[in-house]
Amino acid sequence: MISQTTIDTLRKAEVGARNLFIDGVQTAAATGATLPVISPIDGRPFASIADGNAADVDRAVLAARKAFEKGSWSRAAPAFRKKVLTRLAELVEKHADELAVLGVRDNGTEIGMAYKAEPLSAAGTIRYYAEAIDKIYGEIAPTADNVLGLIHKEPLGVVGVIVPWNFPLMIGAWKIAPALAAGNSIVVKPPEIASLTLLRLAELAAEAGLQEGVFNVVTGRGAVAGEALGLHMDVDAIAFTGSGPVGRRLLDYSARSNLKRVFLELGGKSPNIVFADAPDLKQAATVSANGIFRNSGQVCVAGSRLLVQASIYDRFMDELLKATTKLKVGDPLNLLSDIGAVSSAEQLTKNLNFVARAAEEGARLVTGGERILTETGGSYMAPTIFENVTRDMQIAREEVFGPVLGVMRFDTEEEAVSLANSTVYGLASAVWTSNLSTAHRMVRAINAGVVHVNTYGGADITVPLGGVKQSGFGRDKSLHAVEKYTDLKTAWIALG
């Protein structure tokens, strides 16, 4: 684990102006324009990034296409790609302290979470796909004796990767690692408010031996660089994590351009369901508080809707409030802080607007609901709990992406299922019960890509992550993720 002394040293490091990374070198944007990097820790600029546009995206895609067609990566033996990606994983681990602190300065995630969830998780993901890629086989079809039917798995070509600001390195690795392992070239569009760690990852990839043009990064605004990537005629697929409205635009861009494949993970409004026979109410309350309030609620699978069976409601709410008030909000680069900063002043304003609307609609504020630590200049918000929430309220229907929890009561299992499935989302969920039959029935009944039982979160790289309904389609993580970045080609060979 990183030490406070190391953190304090790294937080003072100069970052300066960061350029695009195209064709193996750092380069300024075509216009020379830049964007300031404002830290949510104190509201002050500490770096700048290039403000890339369509011309820069075109340069990056051209470099990626040339590298792909050259074949030194795309047609290299899987064992070779494995060696390079393994070296990259080692370099990410070697620079984990630097990457963790850099990321926290950029987006405000508390350092204890960031260290594990960003560089260490990314290194593990890269190593997982490096180890897997030379163990994925093609197929031989069950044909007649005079025919040989072969099914080859080939890389798609150029993959555009667009990731969010909450965990850019972790989520980026979920897409970058399998795409590279399968032999594709990539163009990454990081979030404009959290680009620094992915720029550094591209540099480390070059150091690991990845050839020029295989890994490119174009920073800039989503409405400019992101749109250009989505509309580009020479991009074969887009892998995206982010908001529903942007996901819809990417589907439109695909239809308006070359019908590129689009894989979307679009967030959720995940139900966390506590039955009266939960094995340990205190533990369930503590895990539930962490499941919504860590990283200031800026987690796509956050358990933002808490459903509690009526017979234990008061007792559970007491435990939940105790667990919540123990959480310390503060400087995310202080190891004593349990919760860091909201990612930006803009996001903080959105969170507070949700709070105001919930109160207007009749929900009762139990705790929080306000900006705190204003003297720092940063964006901090108290963990917020509302009860008396109904399914038609905005707080029960829309993703806040902040430290805001809505609590609802239920009496029966059928009512819990109805409430759980009452939103347009279907990403994650949880069920707390000692009854194995109840657990299995709920796993079947809840419309979600992930159902946790007697826990919340913690699923590792071996299982897929993705949603149903308006939480999107396509899966990150596990061996299934490689399927997104490969094509199947049939060889039908007459043997005479």
Side-chain angles (χ1 to χ4, degrees):
M1 181 61 186
I2 191 171
S3 72
Q4 190 64 57
T5 300
T6 299
I7 294 168
D8 293 339
T9 299
L10 288 170
R11 78 188 300 167
K12 299 174 184 176
E14 291 291 331
V15 179
R18 301 305 307 272
N19 285 320
L20 314 174
F21 193 88
I22 298 176
D23 209 11
V25 297
Q26 300 177 32
T27 178
T31 64
T34 62
L35 296 170
V37 178
I38 309 295
S39 177
I41 297 173
D42 55 15
R44 298 176 182 175
F46 72 100
S48 67
I49 57 172
D51 188 10
N53 63 14
D56 299 304
V57 169
D58 197 52
R59 281 196 291 154
V61 173
L62 178 62
R65 178 59 64 188
K66 285 183 176 179
F68 183 78
E69 297 297 340
K70 182 180 178 182
S72 56
W73 181 256
S74 61
R75 292 193 291 273
F80 172 77
R81 297 199 295 267
K82 172 182 177 177
K83 288 180 180 179
V84 174
L85 291 175
T86 298
R87 285 199 293 268
L88 175 57
E90 292 168 351
L91 285 171
V92 171
E93 287 179 335
K94 178 181 178 180
H95 293 272
D97 292 357
E98 170 201 348
L99 287 163
V101 173
L102 185 63
V104 172
R105 295 173 74 186
D106 216 1
N107 72 354
T109 300
E110 57 271 15
I111 186 65
M113 171 176 273
Y115 188 75
K116 296 176 183 177
E118 287 280 84
L120 295 189
S121 171
T125 296
I126 295 165
R127 182 174 284 108
Y128 176 84
Y129 289 106
E131 290 287 351
I133 200 61
D134 63 354
K135 302 170 182 68
I136 296 176
Y137 292 83
E139 302 170 33
I140 300 176
T143 61
D145 288 345
N146 63 338
V147 172
L148 178 62
L150 302 178
I151 303 171
H152 297 276
K153 296 181 180 181
E154 298 188 338
L156 296 179
V158 177
V159 175
V161 175
I162 304 176
V163 297
W165 40 257
N166 56 332
F167 293 105
L169 196 55
M170 176 181 76
I171 296 173
W174 291 348
K175 304 175 191 304
I176 290 166
L180 290 177
N184 297 283
S185 296
I186 61 172
V187 178
V188 180
K189 163 59 181 73
E192 49 263 51
I193 65 170
S195 296
L196 299 178
T197 53
L198 287 172
L199 285 168
R200 186 71 179 110
L201 182 64
E203 295 171 355
L204 293 176
E207 185 178 339
L210 199 63
Q211 296 96 330
E212 292 86 353
V214 177
F215 190 151
N216 307 276
V217 181
V218 178
T219 57
R221 292 162 289 166
V224 178
E227 179 181 278
L229 193 60
L231 286 169
H232 204 286
M233 295 294 292
D234 209 20
V235 171
D236 298 292
I238 294 285
F240 171 75
T241 295
S243 72
V246 175
R248 291 173 185 272
R249 285 202 292 274
L250 288 169
L251 289 173
D252 176 58
Y253 297 158
S254 172
R256 288 164 53 192
S257 57
N258 61 343
L259 293 179
K260 60 177 62 65
R261 302 174 198 189
V262 179
F263 306 106
L264 304 174
E265 196 269 90
L266 303 177
K269 194 68 186 172
S270 300
N272 182 19
I273 305 165
V274 183
F275 283 96
D277 65 348
D280 186 329
L281 289 185
K282 183 176 181 180
Q283 179 195 26
T286 299
V287 173
S288 296
N290 287 325
I292 177 62
F293 297 131
R294 296 299 301 272
N295 196 28
S296 296
Q298 299 167 148
V299 181
C300 59
V301 299
S304 57
R305 289 187 298 146
L306 178 62
L307 284 55
V308 183
Q309 198 156 28
S311 61
I312 57 161
Y313 182 87
D314 291 336
R315 189 153 48 106
F316 188 84
M317 288 300 291
D318 286 343
E319 294 292 348
L320 179 68
L321 192 58
K322 289 177 186 176
T324 300
T325 54
K326 287 179 181 178
L327 296 171
K328 180 183 177 182
V329 182
D331 179 357
L333 287 174
N334 187 323
L335 286 169
L336 297 178
S337 296
D338 299 304
I339 301 171
V342 174
S343 63
S344 67
E346 179 183 9
Q347 184 63 38
L348 177 59
T349 298
K350 290 180 181 179
N351 295 347
L352 296 175
N353 287 340
F354 270 100
V355 169
R357 178 71 178 274
E360 290 172 4
E361 292 184 336
R364 189 181 84 83
L365 181 64
V366 176
T367 187
E370 60 187 352
R371 180 182 181 183
I372 59 175
L373 304 176
T374 55
E375 71 279 2
T376 66
S379 301
Y380 298 90
M381 183 174 175
T384 300
I385 300 174
F386 279 99
E387 62 178 358
N388 298 340
V389 174
T390 60
R391 70 176 72 198
D392 59 323
M393 292 180 179
Q394 183 192 45
I395 194 178
R397 294 182 291 106
E398 298 182 20
E399 186 177 40
V400 180
F401 221 64
V404 181
L405 175 65
V407 187
M408 295 180 273
R409 300 173 188 249
F410 71 90
D411 290 304
T412 67
E413 183 178 320
E414 293 73 21
E415 185 183 2
V417 170
S418 177
L419 287 170
N421 293 337
S422 64
T423 76
V424 300
Y425 295 105
L427 182 56
S429 60
V431 177
W432 299 81
T433 178
S434 295
N435 189 303
L436 188 61
S437 296
T438 300
H440 279 291
R441 285 195 303 270
M442 294 298 287
V443 168
R444 292 278 189 175
I446 296 172
N447 292 331
V450 178
V451 183
H452 303 94
V453 178
N454 294 332
T455 187
Y456 202 100
D460 65 18
I461 192 66
T462 62
V463 292
L465 172 66
V468 298
K469 301 194 288 188
Q470 292 184 33
S471 286
F473 46 84
R475 293 294 185 265
D476 286 326
K477 303 169 54 180
S478 82
L479 292 180
H480 293 286
V482 180
E483 298 165 9
K484 297 192 300 187
Y485 306 108
T486 54
D487 255 334
L488 298 181
K489 177 182 285 186
T490 295
W492 190 260
I493 305 169
L495 300 178

